[in-house]
Amino acid sequence: DERAAAAGGAGGATDAARDGSSVDFCGLLESRFGLRECIERLARAEAGGSKASSEAIAAASASELAAARAHLGEIVDDDGFVQFDRVFGGSALPRKLEICSGTGDWAVAQARADEGRACWVTLELRHDRVYKTFTRSVFEGAENMCVMAGDASAVLPRHLAPGTFQHVFVNHPEPPLQTADLSPADAGGGGAAAADDVGAHLLTPEFFQQMHRVLSAKA
């Protein structure tokens, strides 16, 4: 569904859209989120279960995959921005975004509490955490939720349109950790190289500007 579509990663979605194809995006969903297996199980059930021929299942699966590619190509516009009105089926409800959402415990709980009042979007870098968030949203019935994978410092400026959200939350890390604040000893005793490995923190002045850009006027 649409929430699974965004789970594959905004970068893959926009690359595919610019190529006029959603094959790359479907590839992410197949390799990391079990899209093909889900479609094959659905096709087998609709074709008559264990009595269905392998040819009938293969034909139905191919048709469903083609439909998925076509649909995924429609949720990203020509500029590479995700169209959340299409993701959420035309809903005009306010949208809330959690950045660095981890395994989604907090966001899924919020989405369930906001059912009928708001739509939620999560953005997380690590695919294992994205998978856990998505499966949690499915099994807990958070149908007003979209799960995205990607580097927030790239996704916000490239794939989220201005004025998209009414709320933006960043609950991680706690407390924020800055490389510049670390001595080699604080970095784990590994010297200057260990301190450098921590990397620049996400919450830079430039990133705050991007968060402000994706907020609506009354957010």
Side-chain angles (χ1 to χ4, degrees):
D1 63 21
E2 290 84 352
R3 295 176 299 128
T14 51
D15 290 344
R18 289 168 183 165
D19 292 340
S21 167
S22 56
V23 174
D24 292 343
F25 197 14
C26 273
L28 284 172
L29 292 174
E30 288 183 46
S31 64
R32 299 181 180 180
F33 286 87
L35 175 63
R36 180 175 292 275
E37 288 78 4
C38 288
I39 285 179
E40 288 179 351
R41 289 186 182 185
L42 177 63
R44 183 178 292 107
E46 292 181 344
S50 59
K51 298 180 181 180
S53 68
S54 58
E55 293 80 5
I57 294 173
S61 297
S63 176
E64 289 291 342
L65 277 172
R69 291 188 181 99
H71 172 72
L72 296 177
E74 295 174 353
I75 68 171
V76 180
D77 68 16
D78 293 338
D79 294 321
F81 293 126
V82 178
Q83 302 298 290
F84 288 102
D85 55 339
R86 296 178 182 176
V87 170
F88 291 114
S91 172
L93 292 174
R95 302 185 192 106
K96 301 180 179 182
L97 168 68
E98 185 187 9
I99 298 169
C100 303
S101 51
T103 57
D105 305 60
W106 185 78
V108 171
Q110 298 302 310
R112 293 187 64 193
D114 272 347
E115 185 176 0
R117 298 183 298 178
C119 296
W120 276 78
V121 177
T122 60
L123 178 56
E124 169 59 40
L125 178 64
R126 289 179 49 176
H127 274 273
D128 59 334
R129 294 174 178 175
V130 175
Y131 179 82
K132 290 178 180 178
T133 301
F134 178 65
T135 54
R136 186 187 304 275
S137 73
V138 171
F139 288 122
E140 295 193 18
E143 297 185 359
N144 56 332
M145 190 169 184
C146 168
V147 179
M148 298 181 67
D151 185 337
S153 64
V155 172
L156 262 69
R158 299 176 187 173
H159 308 310
L160 302 185
T164 298
F165 298 97
Q166 284 67 51
H167 299 266
V168 174
F169 303 89
V170 183
N171 297 320
H172 179 82
E174 298 177 301
L177 186 62
Q178 295 286 356
T179 302
D181 296 335
L182 289 180
S183 67
D186 291 334
D196 290 341
D197 286 343
V198 177
H201 190 268
L202 177 67
L203 301 179
T204 63
E206 293 77 16
F207 190 72
F208 272 96
Q209 291 175 355
Q210 289 299 329
M211 287 193 287
H212 183 268
R213 184 186 63 83
V214 302
L215 286 168
S216 64
K218 297 182 179 180

